[in-house]
């Protein structure tokens, strides 16, 4: 704040309000993914957002919750068997967020921020694509107005097909209409907040046509006002906090890994030239505090979201003040708009969720990985299948193990390329039939092993090396000295 420039204020205000148009519908929708009341999504878009803005190192990062974190929380609540008990689900979710915050704080104290660089991007592509498939299947019953028991991806699909005769025609018609509206808005006016406008139209239709009387499920009454402070471990409902924490800690570890990994990736991706580089250990501290304090106000597990961070940055965010503006919009929603949100159809939330989940399913990224390296493509496929067949939490373990195996394989058996100089430049590239004009020299072999910690070659070549062959002997050290 000491170095804040007055000319930034206009950009931060506009960016914060623009991001709010994306964050608020997502927050409501993601709470339903986790099987929690919709107000929990708003609490998550408020407290963690403010805490990270005050403590985090990334200027544009927008922290609430993400599709991945929501499905992981929902999976854990289903595993505990508390999803049908709102009070126990809230208590378990808050304690889960508390454990996530504690783990991230401990990781910050141990300076484990470097761990994020060891998660393979190709494995994350497979993991997130599978998460997208799981979310779409999870939301389809809401589009049809039916209810099924959640027993796993393939059994859920079978149950959904069996429940088709009981589908609500009014809900199906509304769902198709909202999908068409969302697609039309995004294609015709791509700069408008299409999900927010679609939600507004859905609420107006519900109020004007009396859709609840026609069998359309709505969100229902939600408490207005700001969240109250309450320590999760003082909640007396259900098992003792210690026993519940003992059940929750494996899931908390996986969620902590994904929260930090997604946040680190988004903060790196949207950093602009001239901005300070994100500090991984500082962000561990900020995310830990965001989850810890969020848990004390009823929020679910939180992390930085890629899509909302992209909106925040593209709308002109200069500093973390934009996130504080988004949080202020959330406060206004809690204080003023709660009665209107109660009229929102569940189908509208499902449409928003599916729209974001489909963006996670990325066959083009699989093909791009396949063109670069077949082994990385196989890791991505295995990560995808791990989530589909084993579930999301075990899928995290598969993703982390595959990342480490991929790294170990590259370090033990790195690809080695013979390098030639591009004519007329100081640039070197692998010798290939596509570039027969590249320069090589008799008696001098320049190799580039593709390893995880290689550095760009410095110029000029050390004079002491002369024309020594670097394929073996003293020339190897000349090659190392030149890197």
């Amino acid at each position: 704040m000491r170095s804040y420039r007055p000319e930034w204020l206009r950009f931060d205000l506009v960016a914060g309000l623009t991001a709010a148009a994306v964050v608020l519908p997502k927050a409501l929708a993601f709470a339903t993914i986790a099987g929690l009341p919709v107000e929990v999504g708003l609490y998550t878009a408020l407290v963690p957002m403010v805490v990270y803005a005050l403590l985090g190192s990334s200027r544009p990062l927008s922290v609430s919750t993400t599709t991945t974190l929501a499905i992981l929380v929902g999976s854990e609540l289903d595993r505990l068997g508390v999803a049908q008990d709102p009070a126990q689900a809230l208590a378990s979710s808050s304690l889960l967020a508390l454990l996530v915050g504690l783990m991230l704080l401990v990781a910050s104290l141990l300076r484990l921020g470097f761990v994020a660089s060891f998660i393979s991007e190709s494995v994350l592509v497979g993991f997130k694509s599978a998460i997208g498939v799981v979310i779409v299947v999870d939301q389809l019953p809401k589009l049809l107005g039916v209810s099924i028991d959640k027993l796993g991806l393939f059994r859920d699909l079978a149950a959904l097909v069996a429940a088709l005769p009981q589908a609500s025609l009014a809900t199906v018609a509304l769902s198709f209409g909202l999908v068409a509206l969302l697609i039309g808005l995004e294609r015709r006016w791509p700069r408008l907040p299409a999900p927010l406008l679609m939600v507004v139209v859905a609420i107006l239709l519900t109020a004007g046509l009396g859709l609840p009387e026609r069998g359309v499920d709505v969100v229902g009454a939600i408490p207005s006002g700001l969240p109250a402070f309450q320590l999760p471990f003082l909640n007396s409902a259900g098992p003792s906090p210690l026993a519940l924490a003992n059940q929750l800690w494996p899931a908390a570890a996986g969620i902590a890994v994904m929260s930090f990994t997604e946040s680190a990736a988004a903060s790196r991706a949207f950093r602009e030239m001239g901005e300070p580089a994100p500090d991984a250990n500082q962000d561990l501290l900020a995310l830990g505090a965001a989850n810890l304090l969020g848990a004390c106000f009823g929020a679910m597990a939180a992390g930085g979201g890629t899509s909302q961070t992209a909106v925040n940055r593209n709308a002109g965010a200069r500093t973390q003040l934009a996130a504080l503006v988004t949080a202020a919009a959330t406060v206004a929603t809690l204080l003023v708009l709660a009665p209107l949100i109660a009229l929102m159809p569940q189908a509208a939330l499902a449409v928003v969720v599916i729209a974001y989940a489909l963006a996670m399913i990325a066959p083009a990224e699989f093909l791009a990985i396949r063109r670069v390296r077949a082994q990385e493509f196989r890791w991505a496929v295995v990560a995808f299948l791990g989530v589909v067949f084993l579930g999301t939490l075990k899928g995290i373990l598969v993703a982390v193990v595959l990342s480490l195996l991929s790294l170990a394989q590259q370090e033990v058996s790195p690809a080695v390329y013979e390098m030639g100089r591009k004519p007329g430049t100081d640039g070197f590239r692998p010798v290939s039939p596509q570039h027969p004009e590249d320069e090589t020299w008799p008696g001098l072999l320049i190799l580039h092993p593709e390893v995880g910690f290689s550095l760009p070659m410095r110029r000029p070549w050390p004079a002491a090396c002369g024309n020594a062959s670097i394929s073996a002997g003293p020339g190897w050290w000349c090659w190392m000295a030149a890197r």
Side-chain angles (χ1 to χ4, degrees):
M1 295 302 296
R2 287 192 298 269
S3 59
Y4 194 85
R5 301 178 187 174
E7 63 268 23
W8 288 347
L9 181 60
R10 176 173 61 90
F11 294 100
D12 282 338
L13 287 174
V14 172
L17 293 174
T18 305
V22 174
V23 169
L24 296 179
K26 286 179 64 177
L28 299 169
F30 291 168
T32 65
I33 291 179
L36 297 167
V38 292
E39 64 267 20
V40 174
L42 296 177
Y43 300 161
T44 310
L46 173 58
V47 180
M49 184 85 69
V50 171
V51 173
Y52 183 85
L54 297 176
L55 299 179
S57 68
S58 172
R59 293 184 179 180
L61 189 65
S62 179
V63 173
S64 56
T65 192
T66 68
T67 318
T68 304
L69 299 183
I71 192 66
L72 292 176
V73 172
S75 297
E76 182 61 9
L77 297 183
D78 285 336
R79 187 189 69 82
L80 292 176
V82 300
Q84 305 306 317
D85 183 349
Q88 189 58 30
L90 285 170
S92 301
S93 171
S94 296
L95 186 56
L96 185 60
L98 183 75
L99 293 174
V100 170
L102 290 173
M103 290 179 178
L104 290 171
L105 288 175
V106 170
S108 174
L109 292 174
L110 297 177
R111 305 191 65 78
L112 297 180
F114 69 91
V115 172
S117 62
F118 290 102
I119 305 297
S120 167
E121 290 295 330
S122 58
V123 170
L124 281 180
V125 167
F127 177 79
K128 289 189 175 182
S129 293
I131 288 288
V133 172
V134 170
I135 290 172
V136 170
V137 173
D138 182 71
Q139 296 297 306
L140 286 177
K142 294 180 182 178
L143 295 183
L144 303 176
V146 299
S147 178
I148 62 173
D149 294 328
K150 304 296 178 61
L151 300 172
L153 181 68
F154 297 106
R155 284 181 288 182
D156 288 354
L157 282 172
L160 187 63
V161 172
L164 284 178
Q166 288 78 45
S168 166
L169 294 180
T171 303
V172 172
L174 177 65
S175 299
F176 275 107
L178 294 177
V179 168
L181 176 63
L182 183 63
I183 294 174
L185 287 172
E186 290 185 339
R187 290 185 176 179
R188 181 67 180 84
W189 296 285
R191 297 183 66 86
L192 293 179
L196 182 64
L197 295 176
M198 185 271 293
V199 166
V200 171
V201 170
I203 291 174
L204 293 176
L205 289 175
T206 301
L209 301 178
L211 294 183
E213 288 77 22
R214 300 173 184 270
V216 175
D217 292 332
V218 296
V219 168
I222 63 173
S224 60
L226 300 178
F229 180 86
Q230 182 178 358
L231 295 175
F233 52 80
L234 294 182
N235 194 305
S236 59
S240 69
L242 188 59
L244 186 58
N246 189 50
Q247 293 178 285
L248 290 173
W249 76 263
I255 293 171
V257 169
M258 292 310 301
S259 172
F260 177 58
T261 301
E262 287 191 308
S263 301
S267 62
R268 289 197 305 263
F270 295 103
R271 174 195 171 218
E272 288 188 346
M273 293 294 293
E275 287 185 351
D279 185 330
N281 291 303
Q282 178 66 27
D283 281 353
L284 277 172
L285 172 65
L287 290 171
N291 279 279
L292 194 64
L293 291 179
C296 297
F297 288 92
M300 59 191 290
T306 303
S307 58
Q308 63 198 53
T309 301
V311 170
N312 194 40
R313 173 57 88 192
N314 293 336
R318 296 293 190 268
T319 70
Q320 290 92 331
L321 182 62
L324 296 179
V325 174
T326 302
T330 305
V331 170
T333 302
L334 285 166
L335 296 178
V336 178
L337 301 180
L340 294 177
I341 294 174
L343 295 174
M344 186 186 308
Q346 294 282 2
L349 287 178
V351 171
V352 173
V353 171
I354 289 175
Y356 287 112
L358 288 175
M360 299 173 66
I361 305 171
E365 293 188 25
F366 281 87
L367 295 176
I369 293 170
R370 178 66 182 84
R371 286 194 293 268
V372 174
R373 178 177 290 168
Q375 183 61 52
E376 291 292 324
F377 170 76
R378 287 192 284 269
W379 292 133
V381 171
V382 172
F384 178 91
L385 296 177
V387 173
V388 169
F389 287 99
L390 301 179
T392 50
L393 290 173
K394 292 180 180 177
I396 287 182
L397 180 61
V398 170
V400 172
V401 170
L402 285 179
S403 293
L404 296 177
L405 287 176
S406 176
L407 177 65
Q409 182 191 50
Q410 292 178 36
E411 293 299 322
V412 172
S413 301
V416 179
Y417 304 101
E418 180 184 356
M419 307 295 286
R421 185 170 67 183
K422 184 178 180 180
T425 72
D426 286 333
F428 284 72
R429 59 190 175 189
V431 173
S432 69
Q434 287 75 27
H435 303 289
E437 72 280 5
D438 287 356
E439 299 172 329
T440 58
W441 300 268
L444 178 64
L445 176 64
I446 304 176
L447 301 178
H448 172 70
E450 192 175 86
V451 294
F453 302 101
S454 62
L455 301 172
M457 192 170 285
R458 295 199 299 265
R459 300 290 183 268
W461 183 268
C465 291
N467 289 326
S469 170
I470 60 172
S471 60
W476 172 263
W477 300 106
C478 293
W479 176 82
M480 289 298 292
R483 298 188 69 75

